[in-house]
Amino acid sequence: MDHPAVRYVLIIGTAAFLQFTLITQFRIAGVSADLLLVVAIAAGLVAGAERGAVVGFVCGLCLDLMVVTPFGLGAISGLVAGVVAGSLEGATVHSAKWLTASIAFISSGAAVLAFSVSGALLGRPDMLSFHVLTVVAVVGLSSALFVFPIIRVARWADPEDALLRTAVR
Amino acid sequence: MASSRRGGRARITISLLLLSAVLLLTLDGRGSGPIQSVRSAVLTVLSPLGGAASSVASPFRNAWNSAFEQGDLKKENDALREENDRLKGDITANSIAKEQLQQLLQLVGIPFVGDTPVVHTRVVSGAVGNFGDRLELDKGSSSGIERNMPVVTGEGLIGKVVEVSENRSIVSLLSSGTFKVGFSVVGTAAIGIAQGTGGDASLRGSNIDSRQAVSVGAIAATSGLAGSPFPPNLPIGTITAVRTNEAALESTVDIKMFANLNDLVYADVVLWKPAS
């Protein structure tokens, strides 16, 4: 139970459950928030790009199991979210809430674009329609909002990395 | 030094994960059995939870929709909606063939599928992701539903079954663009291929012989040509725009689907399979 991997499995399982049962019920312009993406971003922010990539990959696989898009697209998307969040966080020299929210927004946008571009390359050109802009906006804003409580959860899962990165900063 | 080593390890990890994702995409593209099995198993486990959550969240969802989508207020109850859909289906079918109308009036249930049996289902949850729209129905293989069967409402074709478990089915919506459907333009010899554009209930039709006179307002229905995964004469929608490329002798059209994909409550699975 103390190992970060076990804790992340619990977090990802809970996020997948909430995404499937609750989050998708509430949509703006047909688009819902993506809690699994927020978990990947939070892991990247708390423990760096590598951890973000691994957590994002697993989160994406969970999403892939629940949707009908090609299996693996969600994994790429989650991977991108975790890596971008971890890299941007590593490049910043100070911490601020607006900065964290901005990183969450940018990471989500990058993940959505990675998802739609990969889909288009795999023969789904419709995934690069104007609808993508709506998805980027809604998912980005919701991620910027949800990232703060999820960061607390990620710190619980990864206490050593969280402390180390805070100390380094 | 340590930072450089850590950075190198991170790059290797990320590269391996990326390769794994590409491998999964390749396996899925080849129709890997295990992936389909795992998806079906997950569906079996999560579906009852999703259905229950959908029921519990219904009042909150309606309030949310009222706040963000004022034009989509739920004014009709479920029974009235279903009846309304069925009447609209009658009107649409009327345009397909007069002879067929006589048959339609005698049939119970969704009329335009002729004597092909259908399974009446209830939509228990909507899309999970933000791409590749899908619906979840409350019946599955125990009711005779199989993959690739067409799904309709009283207004017309809405999609096809892509995943089936014993008591649940997942429908990929036609609007999502995840598959194509052959169509014919009612009253003409024009045929083409329609595909969703993602996001709303509009389709793009292509591969139409430009020598065929296709006009705005004409009705598109499934062609049911040999090899088509859909039976003929399922209403799809109304043609809203026609563009002709004289050089390529090809026309493309925009099609507005008849079926209202927002707040679907009921859908019928047509127990139809193409002749092998």
Side-chain angles (χ1 to χ4, degrees), chain B residues 183-186 188 190 203 205 208 213-221 236-243 252-258:
Chain B
F183 71 93
S184 59
V185 181
V186 175
T188 74
L203 312 174
I208 304 164
V214 178
S215 56
V216 170
I219 290 173
I236 297 174
T238 308
I239 292 174
T240 55
V242 181
R243 291 172 296 278
T252 56
V253 297
D254 292 340
I255 301 169
K256 178 74 177 169
M257 287 176 67
F258 286 126

Side-chain angles (χ1 to χ4, degrees), chain B residues 39-158:
Chain B
R39 272 182 161 166
S40 291
V42 169
L43 175 64
T44 305
V45 173
L46 286 179
S47 289
L49 300 172
S54 181
S55 303
V56 171
S58 180
F60 304 102
R61 188 174 62 241
N62 290 340
W64 177 272
N65 289 340
S66 300
F68 285 95
E69 296 169 23
Q70 293 178 3
D72 295 332
L73 291 174
K74 197 173 181 178
K75 294 176 182 173
E76 297 175 298
N77 64 36
D78 296 350
L80 278 175
R81 187 193 307 274
E82 188 181 18
E83 183 63 22
N84 190 32
D85 285 355
R86 193 161 286 156
L87 289 169
K88 285 181 181 174
D90 284 348
I91 294 167
T92 304
N94 195 4
S95 301
I96 295 176
K98 190 177 179 182
E99 292 80 13
Q100 205 174 21
L101 180 62
Q102 298 303 318
Q103 298 172 5
L104 302 177
L105 293 173
Q106 296 169 11
L107 293 170
V108 180
I110 294 204
F112 45 71
V113 297
D115 55 1
T116 309
V118 298
V119 175
H120 301 287
T121 68
R122 189 180 174 89
V123 177
V124 289
S125 73
V128 172
N130 291 317
F131 295 93
D133 293 344
R134 61 165 230 175
L135 295 173
E136 187 179 326
L137 308 178
D138 69 346
K139 288 181 182 161
S141 57
S142 59
S143 301
I145 296 173
E146 295 179 20
R147 286 186 71 187
N148 293 323
M149 285 181 166
V151 182
V152 299
T153 66
E155 295 168 301
L157 180 70
I158 61 166

Side-chain angles (χ1 to χ4, degrees), chain A residues 4-121:
Chain A
V6 178
R7 292 183 173 182
Y8 270 120
V9 166
L10 282 175
I11 293 169
I12 293 169
T14 308
F17 175 77
L18 289 175
Q19 181 72 29
F20 188 86
T21 56
L22 193 66
I23 301 292
T24 52
Q25 308 278 333
F26 302 95
R27 292 175 172 270
I28 299 171
V31 179
S32 69
D34 193 333
L35 203 56
L36 288 161
L37 215 53
V38 184
V39 171
I41 291 167
L45 286 169
V46 167
E50 186 180 7
R51 183 61 55 84
V54 175
V55 172
F57 182 83
V58 178
C59 285
L61 286 183
C62 285
L63 185 68
D64 280 329
L65 288 171
M66 299 187 284
V67 297
V68 293
T69 45
F71 194 90
L73 278 187
I76 289 178
S77 174
L79 178 73
V80 168
V83 170
V84 171
S87 303
L88 288 178
E89 201 276 341
T92 56
V93 291
H94 71 283
S95 180
K97 283 201 169 183
W98 69 266
L99 205 53
T100 305
S102 303
I103 290 174
F105 185 90
I106 293 167
S107 306
S108 291
V112 170
L113 288 176
F115 191 93
S116 52
V117 169
S118 304
L121 290 173

Side-chain angles (χ1 to χ4, degrees), chain B residues 145-206:
Chain B
I145 296 173
E146 295 179 20
R147 286 186 71 187
N148 293 323
M149 285 181 166
V151 182
V152 299
T153 66
E155 295 168 301
L157 180 70
I158 61 166
K160 69 172 183 177
V161 176
V162 290
E163 298 280 347
V164 188
S165 65
E166 191 178 352
N167 294 309
R168 288 287 192 276
S169 306
I170 297 293
V171 177
S172 182
L173 293 176
L174 181 54
S175 58
S176 69
T178 52
F179 61 94
K180 297 174 181 175
V181 56
F183 71 93
S184 59
V185 181
V186 175
T188 74
I191 56 172
I193 296 171
Q195 187 173 20
T197 55
D200 59 11
S202 62
L203 312 174
R204 181 71 45 82
S206 59

Side-chain angles (χ1 to χ4, degrees), chain A residues 8 42-43 45-48 51 89 151-169, chain B residues 6:
Chain A
Y8 270 120
L45 286 169
V46 167
R51 183 61 55 84
E89 201 276 341
I151 278 180
R152 287 174 179 269
V153 181
R155 283 194 181 124
W156 166 76
D158 227 339
E160 286 182 16
D161 259 320
L163 283 172
L164 179 67
R165 293 177 76 80
T166 308
V168 168
R169 169 170 283 149
Chain B
R6 191 181 172 90

